Amino acid sequence: MTTKTNTTTAEQHDSMFDAVLARLDVAAKIYGLSDDVANILRNPQKQVKVSIPVMMDNGKIEVFEGFRTIHSTVLGPSKGGIRYAMDVNDDEVKALSAWMTFKCAVANLPYGGAKGGIKCDPRKMSVGELERLTKAYTTAMADVFGPSTDIPAPDMGTSGREMAWLVDAYNKVHRGNFPGVATGKPVGMGGSLGRDAATGRGVMVSTLAALKKMNLDPKKVTCAVQGFGNVGSHAARLLNEQGIMICAIGDHTATIWNEKGIDIKAALEYAKGNTGVLKGFTGGVEIKPSELLTANVDVLVPAALQNVITEEIAHSIKAKLIVEGANGPTTPEADSILQEKGVTVVPDILANGGGVTVSYFEWVQNNYGYYWSEDEVNSKHDACMSNAFEHVWNNGQQYKTTLRIAAYITALKKVEFGIKAKGIY
Ligand code: NAD
C-alpha cells in the first residue's frame, strides 16, 4: 500500500508554480520537513526582470521582456536553461526554477536551481536580431550570471548557438574567458561530447532500472514515445538499442503506430532529411496523437509537452510504466489516477536529469580545461543516473510513496541538510 499522495480532482492548478508547491507540500508532509525549511523553498531566492531594447533589422527599436529566477543556491551555483517563447512569464519561470533545484538535488549535483526566459518569437526573428537580443539580455544579466553563481543552458527556443553568443557577451563585460558561465555550448566552444544525447540517455537508464525493479525483461516489452526532438529521438533510439520494441512514435506533424515495431533508424534517417519531422514517414500506420498516449504498450515515454497526461487520458492509459522525458507531462490530478491504477511513474525530476548531469560534466571540464572522451562522459552519466534512481526508489520504499513524491523527498533531504549546515542569520 502506498500513501495517497496527490491532490483531489477538485483542486486544479492554473498556476504552474502552484502545481510545484502542491507536490512539494505532499512530499514535505510525508517526509516531515519543518515548516521553516518548507517556507524557504516556497519562495524563490531572487527574481530579476529586465527590459531589453534591441535594434531590429528594419531600423526600429523593439523592447523585449527578459526574466531570470534563481530558486535556490543552497547546494551550489544555480543552474537552469533560458527559454525563448511568446508565452514565457513569471509564473512559468518560477515553477521551472524550483524544478531545477529539485532535479539537481536528485541527480546529486552541487547545484541549485534557476530558469530564465525572454518573451519573443524566435522563429519570426533573423539570426542577427537573435544574436543582438541574446547579447543584450546577457549584458543586462551580467551581474546575475557567473560560472560560480548562476549558470544558464539552452531550453525551448534556444540552442548551443545562443550559449556561444551568451559566453561571448559575458566575456566582454567581465574582460576574460569564462566558458563555464553557460553549458550546452557547441563542442569546440567548450561543449561536452555526449551532451546532445544525454537527456534521452538518462531516460533509457531510468527505464531499464525501473523495468528491472518490476521484473520485466526489456527484450519483451513494447514502448510508445511522444516527441521526436532532442529527448524523444535519442530516447527511442537508445531504448531500441536495448532491445525494447518501439511501437509508436509521434511529433507535432504525425503519429505512427506499428505493432511489429518501428524501424527507429529508418525514422531517424527520414526525419533528418525531412526538416526534422515525421510527417510522411511510412514505417507504420498513422494514428491520432492522443492514441499514442493510450496505446497498448508496456512503457510510455512522454518527451514533448507539459500537461499531456490529464485526468481523462490517465483513465485510459494501458502502459504499466511511464518515464517522463518531458518536464511536467503529467498533471497532479492525473497522478492520483495513475497511482490508483498501479502505474509506475518515473518522474521528470529524476528521468530527464541526464541533461543537467552532462551539463555539470561540461562545467567541470571547463573548470579543469581538460576534456573527456564520449565514452568517459557516458559511463559517468550512467553511474550518476543509476545512483539517483536507486536513491529515489529506496525513499519510495521507505516512505511508502510514489516515485514522484520519493524524488521530491530525496531532494528535500539534501536541500534541508544544506540549509541547516549553512545556518540562517
Ligand atoms: P525539441 O524541441 O527538440 O522536441 C520537441 C518535440 O516535441 C518535437 O519532436 C516536436 O515535434 C514534438 N511536439 C511538439 N508539439 C507536439 C504535439 N502537440 N504532439 C506531439 N509532439 C509534439 O525539445 P526537447 O529538447 O526534446 O524537449 C522535450 C521536452 O523535454 C520538454 O518538456 C523539455 O523541457 C524537456 N527536457 C529537455 C531536455 C533537453 O536536454 N533537451 C532536458 C530536460 C527536459
Side-chain angles (χ1 to χ4, degrees):
M1 249 316 263
T2 59
T3 316
K4 178 106 173 118
T5 55
N6 289 298
T7 50
T8 64
T9 48
E11 287 176 69
Q12 301 289 333
H13 298 285
D14 293 334
S15 144
M16 248 173 103
F17 190 60
D18 284 350
V20 175
L21 293 184
R23 275 138 173 184
L24 173 69
D25 287 347
V26 175
K29 198 165 167 207
I30 294 175
Y31 167 50
L33 188 74
S34 77
D35 288 347
D36 287 346
V37 173
N39 224 358
I40 293 173
L41 294 174
R42 293 176 71 83
N43 295 284
Q45 210 170 293
K46 188 193 276 188
Q47 288 174 270
V48 184
K49 192 171 169 186
V50 290
S51 64
I52 317 160
V54 174
M55 178 65 74
M56 305 305 277
D57 291 348
N58 63 8
K60 292 212 164 76
I61 291 170
E62 213 169 294
V63 182
F64 294 86
E65 258 182 299
F67 304 87
R68 185 76 178 165
T69 293
I70 292 172
H71 176 258
S72 172
T73 55
V74 168
L75 296 177
S78 48
K79 187 87 193 79
I82 295 170
R83 135 177 321 197
Y84 287 4
M86 281 314 287
D87 54 6
V88 166
N89 59 64
D90 287 312
D91 176 67
E92 180 184 69
V93 171
K94 229 161 69 170
L96 294 165
S97 72
W99 264 331
M100 285 307 295
T101 299
F102 302 129
K103 195 183 292 189
C104 292
V106 167
N108 208 21
L109 307 177
Y111 283 149
K115 204 79 182 189
I118 303 178
K119 199 186 265 283
C120 67
D121 185 349
R123 279 167 302 192
K124 291 203 176 128
M125 294 172 70
S126 70
V127 174
E129 288 169 343
L130 284 168
E131 179 177 347
R132 294 193 290 280
L133 174 67
T134 306
K135 290 186 170 175
Y137 171 72
T138 307
T139 307
M141 293 287 179
D143 293 330
V144 177
F145 299 156
S148 62
T149 50
D150 178 44
I151 308 153
D155 193 72
M156 263 167 53
T158 56
S159 64
R161 179 182 70 175
E162 283 71 18
M163 295 307 108
W165 290 334
L166 186 153
V167 172
D168 181 60
Y170 184 87
N171 283 346
K172 284 182 173 133
V173 174
H174 291 278
R175 298 186 175 275
N177 184 34
F178 306 96
V181 71
T183 62
K185 301 179 292 293
V187 174
M189 262 282 316
S192 177
L193 294 169
R195 173 62 187 91
D196 216 32
T199 307
R201 191 171 180 88
V203 168
M204 179 270 284
V205 173
S206 310
T207 306
L208 293 186
L211 290 174
K212 197 164 175 198
K213 298 286 185 194
M214 296 164 78
N215 287 321
L216 292 171
D217 177 357
K219 298 199 168 50
K220 291 186 184 144
V221 304
T222 55
C223 176
V225 181
Q226 185 193 48
F228 210 62
N230 176 282
V231 183
S233 68
H234 285 296
R237 173 179 64 80
L238 291 161
L239 288 168
N240 196 225
E241 280 172 16
Q242 296 297 321
I244 293 176
M245 187 192 277
I246 312 291
C247 293
I249 52 173
D251 66 7
H252 69 285
T253 66
T255 312
I256 315 288
W257 166 259
N258 187 336
E259 66 178 353
K260 295 204 170 83
I262 293 166
D263 181 343
I264 296 298
K265 270 193 194 146
L268 287 166
E269 280 288 301
Y270 181 85
K272 205 169 148 193
N274 191 36
T275 63
V277 300
L278 289 169
K279 191 160 186 60
F281 178 62
T282 53
V285 292
E286 203 160 336
I287 56 170
K288 283 194 234 148
S290 64
E291 287 175 333
L292 181 146
L293 297 170
T294 57
N296 192 13
V297 288
D298 303 302
V299 184
L300 173 64
V301 177
L305 306 169
Q306 58 210 35
N307 295 335
V308 287
I309 303 179
T310 58
E311 256 179 288
E312 197 188 337
I313 295 280
H315 280 298
S316 313
I317 276 182
K318 298 183 194 69
K320 306 175 187 70
L321 172 64
I322 298 176
V323 184
E324 295 183 338
N327 282 319
T330 310
T331 66
E333 295 75 25
D335 259 344
S336 299
I337 294 153
L338 295 171
Q339 190 185 353
E340 273 159 26
K341 288 175 62 158
V343 179
T344 301
V345 180
V346 184
D348 44 13
I349 59 169
L350 168 61
N352 70 33
V356 73
T357 299
V358 175
S359 272
Y360 165 61
F361 296 157
E362 177 177 335
W363 180 75
V364 169
Q365 292 170 83
N366 294 152
N367 290 345
Y368 256 137
Y370 175 73
Y371 290 82
W372 307 337
S373 69
E374 190 164 351
D375 282 350
E376 211 169 340
V377 172
N378 287 345
S379 73
K380 285 182 165 66
H381 162 276
D382 294 359
C384 270
M385 286 302 292
S386 301
N387 278 339
F389 184 92
E390 211 51 40
H391 266 109
V392 171
W393 183 270
N394 290 341
N395 278 326
Q397 301 287 306
Q398 184 184 340
Y399 293 92
K400 298 189 178 7
T401 189
T402 59
L403 290 179
R404 185 179 316 282
I405 298 303
Y408 276 86
I409 292 176
T410 307
L412 290 179
K413 283 185 177 190
K414 289 184 182 149
V415 180
E416 180 190 40
F417 170 79
I419 290 172
K420 290 190 172 161
K422 285 179 161 177
I424 299 281
Y425 53 91

